[in-house]
Amino acid sequence: AQSVSQHNHHVILSEAASLELGCNYSYGGTVNLFWYVQYPGQHLQLLLKYFSGDPLVKGIKGFEAEFIKSKFSFNLRKPSVQWSDTAEYFCAVISGNTGKLIFGQGTTLQVKP
Amino acid sequence: DVKVTQSSRYLVKRTGEKVFLECVQDMDHENMFWYRQDPGLGLRLIYFSYDVKMKEKGDIPEGYSVSREKKERFSLILESASTNQTSMYLCASSRNQGYGETQYFGPGTRLLVL
């Protein structure tokens, strides 16, 4: 069965530090990949997604992610985090052609002002 | 903008009660989903639906059922609530059955079963 693994469960950074959150998936075929974010008290929303083409995708609020097929990875990055980036981040992959999203366990990011 | 609404933000029920969680989307999406979110486990799919009156089991359907009588509405039913069903429940919707369609989420219902 397809699975998604997020390596970091809880990350604490100071403002202006660089961020990289790891995500690996197990499926070997064509994949569509997503990062979702859940800010405190808010609903889950799409940060960015990869369907095809340029493996470096840019999302909202200065986030980007790179799809590396050979490593089955889709890591999320931001050069300089802000306090407002404090949230929970979920990596997800579409399973086959069913439209079913498989989520990772989530990473809680805490940014200290 | 896509809007997905859920009937309650917080719900407290007793063991054995029948619980209904309602979800409505306003973008004429064909697909609708129910997840539960638990710390350290991420989101897990309970049930989903590709069309009215159609339903498919997700990864953890036990103890749950669903109903989709209208395209815009997808209900999750806990026939006899148990304490291990205390969780955050998220509803989502997406367009058609296309590969990779973005899912849009509701605000969630935090259910406590006593």
Side-chain angles (χ1 to χ4, degrees), chain A residues 2-31:
Chain A
Q2 191 168 159
S3 65
V4 178
S5 178
Q6 293 181 238
H7 316 300
N8 319 99
H9 296 294
H10 198 157
V11 174
I12 302 174
L13 294 173
S14 299
E15 275 194 315
S18 64
L19 170 72
E20 181 161 3
L21 301 182
C23 173
N24 286 92
Y25 60 92
S26 63
Y27 185 61
T30 302
V31 290

Side-chain angles (χ1 to χ4, degrees), chain A residues 68-95:
Chain A
I68 303 179
K69 189 174 182 179
S70 60
K71 295 185 178 180
F72 298 89
S73 70
F74 189 56
N75 292 354
L76 181 71
R77 300 194 294 246
K78 186 171 184 179
S80 176
V81 295
Q82 300 172 320
W83 176 78
S84 58
D85 293 325
T86 294
E88 190 159 18
Y89 293 81
F90 294 93
C91 181
V93 60
I94 287 283
S95 170

